[in-house]
Amino acid sequence: MKFGLSIVRGLAAACLVLSAIVLSVGAVSFTARDAYGQTVTVNTIIVQGNQRVEADTIRSYFRPGPGGRLDAFQIDEGVKALYATGLFQDIRPSIQGGRLILVVIENPVINRIAFEGNKKVKDEQLRAEIQSKERGTLSRPIVQADVARLVEVYRRSGRFDVRIEPKIIELPNNRVDLVFEINEGLKTGIKRIEFIGNRAYSSYRLKDVIKTSETGLLAFLQTGDIYDPDRIEADRELLRRFYLKHGFIDVRVVSAMGEYDPALRGFIVTFTIEEGDQYRVGSVDVQSSVRGLDRGLLWWKLRVSAGEVYNAEGVEKTVEEMTIEAARQGFAFATVRPRASRDNQTRTVNIVFLVDESQRVYIERINIRGNTRTRDYVIRREFDLAEGDAYNRALVNRAERRLKNLNFFKTVKITPEPGSAPDRIILNVDVEEQSTGEFQVSGGYSTSDGWLAEVSIAERNMLGRGLYGKASVQYGQYARGAQLSFVDPYFLGYRIAFGLDVFGKIQNPTSYISYSTTTVGFGTRLGFALREDLGFAVRYSLYQQRVSLPDYLNDCLLSPNAPINGGPGVQSIGFSLDPCFLNGEASLAVRRELANGSVLTSSIGYTLTYNSVDNNKSPTKGLLAELRQDFAGAGGDVRFVRTAGDVWGYHEVVPDIVAALHLQGGHITGWGCGQNNDGSLLNTPSECLRMLDHFQMGPNLVRGFAPAGIGPRDLSRLALTGTGDALGGTLYWGASLELQTPIYFLPKDAGIKIAAYADAGSLWNYQGPTSWAATGEVLSGSICAAPPCPLDNGMHIRSSVGVGLIWNSPFGPLRFDYAVPLTQEPYDRTQRFRFGGGAKF
């Protein structure tokens, strides 16, 4: 009983408390209503303090309720709406005599916005980031937001110590100047990049994979050393794809963190990696459920094979190539899916490519957005499909890759969205254009060509039509010239590149050649891709070439003592010589070229290229092969067939040590016969081949030798005067093996590698003019057993070993080589040290 009475008393007390709270709230509400008054209407609103904003405009923000009356809630909402306009600094409402009095203080007008202390970021870039505008109203919250945006601009450029303080300078008539005082601080770049958990690849090698780089001595030329969370996140994906490409199918890039170190005044970026084991391909099979599809043609599209290291990129390319091949066979809706089963004991992956029919979906529309300069058709022609065609994701991915490779756009993104029906899809192509014009001033120096300067102007996207044009002028110590180039990558609407070059060049005598040449002509070419790694190009060139010599190297033809003029001559090496030969006369082959005057060459040629290297700039794996052949004689004055080939193979022997094998060879032969200038008949193909059309070899074949330093030489001149012109040869071969490795104790961004190499090769079989009736000279074509003799035409092997320093500098690639010849002929010219490089800025 007592317990029940206690409950009743507790409930009663609670009710009393609740009643008191309700009465208090009612009192507060009544007080607010009483303050504003129950009879306030829109017509009784009095506005005071406004200078630029009309009173009726201010009154319009107060919306009355039933009967045209304003209560406390509506007045409060009106005041908030006025603050939201950003036009007012303060608003004070009050009720006086049944009227609503609004006293407002307007925000001042910004007369001028200025930035002080900024040196690294221009005013225009900062002004584009802020919301405050000149002749607009000043809003302190907006100014604070502007400061935050400006700080972010500086942080994106690597300056985290920036301090920005806004200053307001009052002027008459409620105007102000807004000044942002900026203390930019020092650049806080990335001081160190660390990798945790990497065993198969060194940190040095992984730094090559990512875009982020460390701040080094040349930081003022870098952009990748700025801390950017988005870039670091993209680097995670690059690392993952790198490991997947090299067989690590279980790889995980666990984290990518950037921490600011006050002691270093920069960031330390750390990537944590779980590599897993490396897998190889066990077996490969293709299975199809599509009736009528030729599986045999799909097998040709395989980019992976049994026994090799598993390559996720190769699997992706195989899927793409097979999907496209199925579409070519008429199965546009066929999809290819790779299925992999692993064997953890043998660390192998068995891959089966399954070909099935997919849902029938058609492209309703392709929308191109963001291109302000580039024409729509330039973008659309990179697609192998159009509106109304079957949707093929592999073809869309290829189009996106092609658009990125154009280098016309900063970003390219293709996204699908549903169309007007379930079997329709819309492709949105969003691009952001970038500058495509180039102006370059370049210069360089090499031990063979001396110094050389070049000025060029180029445009990669002429008139927004995707055309390429370039004009350049070269001026150097020994070489001078000019060239105009034009390329249409879609000639006549087909994916065939058409190029046109007009050129003129003067090559002056050097310490390696005694004559100068002047060449003027033009060339055209057509090139297209047979597949992604195989290209073919045909070309036609027409050029006129003329040789010139100093008078003292060509004065025996008019000498009264020459045998042809009835003089006695001097017997030497099997033929009569005039004493004038002893002053350094040029070789008869060179003087024959001089006597021929201007010679016109018309040739047709082709190039077949296979390229499977992983990186064109710094390859570590793959093969690059090139076959070139030219046929001269389609008009003109000379006739020859010239064939040359190069093969480069790259393989990473151990991490960070790359072996490069280069094999090369060539052959040229003349065909048809004509007449000499003196009327004598040319009866053999050798007499149809000019000396200038022969191969000239030196360090481009075997390092350690001078330009045109090896091969057949006019030894009669060498025996008499100590000089001898290189005649060249019709056959050559060369082999080079080089090992390259970075210098570990140097910063990664230094871009310095060292190389050790061994070269071997030979140039032989001169087939040009060996006699001249005008002077009575005759050169023997027999193999020379022991000089002196007129001509050594034998196949003698030259070889050398050496070391090199390779610097991929910000000013251009530089290379220093020191080679020691191991085998050579007595008349060869050597050059142990060689330097070459250039710069563009």
Side-chain angles (χ1 to χ4, degrees):
M1 189 70 176
K2 291 181 180 180
F3 179 73
L5 290 174
S6 300
I7 293 177
V8 172
R9 290 173 181 172
L11 291 174
C15 291
L16 290 174
V17 172
L18 181 62
S19 300
I21 294 174
V22 170
L23 290 174
S24 299
V25 172
V28 172
S29 176
F30 176 80
T31 302
R33 290 175 180 171
D34 184 64
Y36 286 123
Q38 294 286 341
T39 60
V40 175
T41 63
V42 175
N43 294 329
T44 60
I45 299 177
I46 306 300
V47 179
Q48 297 177 355
N50 57 310
Q51 297 179 1
R52 298 188 306 275
V53 184
E54 296 291 337
D56 289 340
T57 302
I58 296 175
R59 294 189 186 98
S60 67
Y61 283 86
F62 296 86
R63 298 179 180 180
R69 299 182 180 278
L70 294 170
D71 60 14
F73 176 78
Q74 292 160 344
I75 293 174
D76 185 60
E77 289 296 311
V79 171
K80 292 179 180 178
L82 285 176
Y83 271 118
T85 63
L87 298 174
F88 301 97
Q89 182 178 341
D90 191 18
I91 303 172
R92 294 192 296 270
S94 62
I95 301 296
Q96 298 180 9
R99 296 179 301 172
L100 175 62
I101 308 297
L102 293 175
V103 179
V104 299
I105 300 177
E106 295 178 344
N107 278 326
V109 175
I110 300 175
N111 177 66
R112 182 175 64 94
I113 297 177
F115 303 93
E116 295 181 356
N118 56 309
K119 298 179 180 179
K120 302 300 181 180
V121 184
K122 295 182 179 179
D123 286 3
E124 293 77 11
Q125 183 178 351
L126 297 176
R127 200 179 301 276
E129 294 290 335
I130 63 176
Q131 291 185 345
S132 299
K133 303 297 179 184
E134 293 178 352
R135 292 180 296 279
T137 57
L138 175 71
S139 172
R140 283 172 171 78
I142 292 179
V143 171
Q144 293 303 319
D146 289 341
V147 171
R149 291 189 184 90
L150 296 178
V151 169
E152 185 61 27
V153 169
Y154 275 94
R155 287 185 174 179
R156 288 200 301 265
S157 63
R159 297 183 179 274
F160 283 75
D161 290 337
V162 63
R163 294 190 301 275
I164 301 177
E165 184 178 355
K167 294 293 183 67
I168 299 175
I169 303 174
E170 296 185 358
L171 301 174
N173 300 323
N174 201 25
R175 294 180 301 116
V176 295
D177 285 344
L178 177 59
V179 179
F180 293 94
E181 294 185 354
I182 302 173
N183 183 353
E184 295 179 326
L186 299 176
K187 183 178 180 181
T188 49
I190 297 175
K191 297 298 183 181
R192 192 163 66 242
I193 299 176
E194 298 177 347
F195 297 89
I196 299 176
N198 55 310
R199 295 176 288 105
Y201 297 99
S202 67
S203 297
Y204 193 96
R205 175 64 187 280
L206 295 180
K207 289 178 184 178
D208 241 348
V209 177
I210 62 178
K211 300 296 185 183
T212 303
S213 59
E214 295 175 340
T215 301
L217 297 176
L218 301 175
F220 63 97
L221 296 172
Q222 297 176 256
T223 57
D225 65 332
I226 298 170
Y227 178 73
D228 186 344
D230 294 334
R231 184 191 293 122
I232 292 175
E233 192 62 29
D235 287 339
R236 291 184 65 179
E237 179 63 17
L238 291 176
L239 288 170
R240 189 185 73 86
R241 293 185 66 86
F242 172 79
Y243 273 96
L244 288 175
K245 184 178 179 180
H246 291 83
F248 295 86
I249 59 178
D250 296 323
V251 65
R252 290 179 61 237
V253 183
V254 180
S255 64
M257 299 178 57
E259 295 181 343
Y260 181 76
D261 189 331
L264 296 177
R265 300 183 64 84
F267 283 88
I268 299 176
V269 178
T270 304
F271 295 93
T272 304
I273 304 171
E274 293 181 2
E275 291 182 335
D277 296 322
Q278 187 181 52
Y279 282 73
R280 291 184 174 271
V281 178
S283 63
V284 183
D285 192 14
V286 179
Q287 297 179 5
S288 173
S289 62
V290 181
R291 297 182 59 183
L293 183 64
D294 190 345
R295 290 176 61 245
L297 293 177
L298 297 183
W299 274 94
W300 285 98
K301 302 300 179 181
L302 287 174
R303 296 296 186 89
V304 292
S305 58
E308 68 178 13
V309 175
Y310 175 80
N311 185 346
E313 186 177 293
V315 174
E316 292 176 0
K317 289 183 178 179
T318 299
V319 171
E320 180 180 303
E321 292 290 338
M322 285 186 173
T323 305
I324 295 172
E325 177 58 35
R328 288 173 179 166
Q329 295 186 36
F331 302 94
F333 299 103
T335 59
V336 180
R337 294 180 293 107
R339 186 179 66 190
S341 59
R342 72 176 70 184
D343 187 334
N344 294 327
Q345 293 183 348
T346 60
R347 293 190 179 90
T348 58
V349 179
N350 300 320
I351 306 173
V352 178
F353 293 95
L354 303 175
V355 186
D356 301 310
E357 285 279 1
S358 64
Q359 181 183 0
R360 294 179 176 268
V361 179
Y362 298 89
I363 299 176
E364 179 178 342
R365 191 169 65 254
I366 300 178
N367 298 324
I368 312 294
R369 302 184 300 204
N371 56 315
T372 57
R373 181 168 177 264
T374 305
R375 309 293 179 94
D376 272 15
Y377 73 85
V378 174
I379 299 175
R380 293 181 184 274
R381 69 189 184 188
E382 299 299 330
F383 286 81
D384 291 325
L385 37 76
E387 283 95 343
D389 290 348
Y391 173 73
N392 188 316
R393 185 60 197 175
L395 292 177
V396 173
N397 291 339
R398 171 177 281 191
E400 185 172 351
R401 188 167 60 250
R402 286 173 174 171
L403 288 172
K404 290 178 179 178
N405 291 337
L406 289 176
N407 203 23
F408 295 168
F409 312 105
K410 289 182 180 179
T411 58
V412 178
K413 188 176 183 181
I414 302 178
T415 54
E417 67 177 33
S420 59
D423 62 344
R424 296 290 185 270
I425 195 170
I426 297 173
L427 295 180
N428 295 319
V429 184
D430 294 291
V431 300
E432 182 183 357
E433 292 188 313
Q434 64 180 1
S435 175
T436 55
E438 297 177 354
F439 175 77
Q440 293 183 340
V441 179
S442 61
Y445 178 83
S446 71
T447 48
S448 59
D449 299 326
W451 59 267
L452 178 69
E454 178 180 347
V455 178
S456 65
I457 183 171
E459 171 58 56
R460 300 192 307 271
N461 188 13
M462 292 176 60
L463 305 176
R465 301 176 183 270
L467 306 175
Y468 174 83
K470 180 179 180 180
S472 61
V473 177
Q474 305 89 26
Y475 190 91
Q477 187 174 356
Y478 301 120
R480 300 167 189 174
Q483 182 171 337
L484 295 174
S485 299
F486 170 81
V487 178
D488 182 358
Y490 277 80
F491 185 58
L492 299 179
Y494 297 95
R495 191 170 281 120
I496 298 176
F498 167 76
L500 175 65
D501 301 294
V502 180
F503 55 87
K505 183 178 181 181
I506 299 175
Q507 179 66 50
N508 292 323
T510 68
S511 58
Y512 308 107
I513 59 174
S514 62
Y515 54 90
S516 64
T517 57
T518 302
T519 307
V520 178
F522 76 95
T524 62
R525 57 190 184 278
L526 292 173
F528 54 91
L530 300 176
R531 63 184 197 187
E532 191 171 356
D533 58 356
L534 192 63
F536 182 78
V538 294
R539 59 183 172 273
Y540 171 77
S541 59
L542 180 69
Y543 58 91
Q544 190 174 61
Q545 197 170 37
R546 180 171 55 86
V547 172
S548 59
L549 273 171
D551 291 339
Y552 74 91
L553 294 179
N554 185 42
D555 57 2
C556 284
L557 185 61
L558 303 178
S559 173
N561 293 322
I564 190 63
N565 297 326
V570 176
Q571 287 292 326
S572 177
I573 320 178
F575 56 88
S576 297
L577 284 178
D578 185 83
C580 66
F581 282 97
L582 300 178
N583 69 355
E585 198 78 357
S587 171
L588 74 88
V590 176
R591 287 179 282 125
R592 283 282 299 271
E593 296 287 353
L594 180 64
N596 289 334
S598 297
V599 176
L600 187 67
T601 301
S602 175
S603 67
I604 300 173
Y606 71 88
T607 299
L608 183 65
T609 305
Y610 173 78
N611 187 352
S612 65
V613 298
D614 56 349
N615 188 313
N616 288 330
K617 291 184 177 180
S618 181
T620 61
K621 177 184 177 182
L623 186 70
L624 174 61
E626 188 174 87
L627 174 65
R628 305 176 299 277
Q629 199 164 37
D630 292 281
F631 305 87
D637 302 322
V638 297
R639 297 174 178 86
F640 61 78
V641 179
R642 180 169 53 207
T643 305
D646 290 89
V647 177
W648 292 268
Y650 301 93
H651 177 69
E652 192 169 25
V653 182
V654 295
D656 295 332
I657 298 181
V658 177
L661 177 65
H662 180 201
L663 303 176
Q664 55 181 315
H667 174 248
I668 185 171
T669 182
W671 64 275
C673 293
Q675 287 186 339
N676 283 314
N677 287 345
D678 58 6
S680 61
L681 185 64
L682 299 176
N683 294 318
T684 63
S686 66
E687 291 292 306
C688 300
L689 194 62
R690 298 190 310 154
M691 182 272 292
L692 290 179
D693 294 325
H694 284 63
F695 297 111
Q696 297 285 353
M697 293 293 172
N700 54 335
L701 189 69
V702 181
R703 282 165 284 194
F705 292 86
I710 63 176
R713 189 174 297 275
D714 187 348
L715 301 179
S716 62
R717 305 281 77 75
L718 185 66
L720 292 172
T721 65
T723 62
D725 288 307
L727 303 180
T730 60
L731 290 165
Y732 77 90
W733 67 268
S736 175
L737 178 62
E738 180 170 297
L739 296 176
Q740 294 183 0
T741 183
I743 302 178
Y744 294 96
F745 57 84
L746 292 180
K748 170 69 177 177
D749 292 331
I752 298 178
K753 296 181 180 180
I754 57 174
Y757 52 83
D759 296 344
S762 182
L763 173 68
W764 76 100
N765 198 34
Y766 170 73
Q767 291 290 311
T770 56
S771 63
W772 198 10
T775 61
E777 296 172 83
V778 177
L779 292 177
S780 171
S782 62
I783 297 176
C784 181
C789 56
L791 177 64
D792 183 356
N793 233 351
M795 198 279 286
H796 305 295
I797 298 178
R798 281 82 168 178
S799 62
S800 68
V801 293
V803 293
L805 183 67
I806 307 167
W807 183 22
N808 188 21
S809 74
F811 307 103
L814 302 174
R815 177 155 183 154
F816 305 83
D817 282 299
Y818 184 83
V820 179
L822 298 180
T823 58
Q824 65 182 90
E825 295 304 306
Y827 49 82
D828 289 339
R829 294 187 175 183
T830 61
Q831 184 187 68
R832 295 196 173 193
F833 176 75
R834 181 175 173 83
F835 159 75
K840 293 184 178 181
F841 48 89

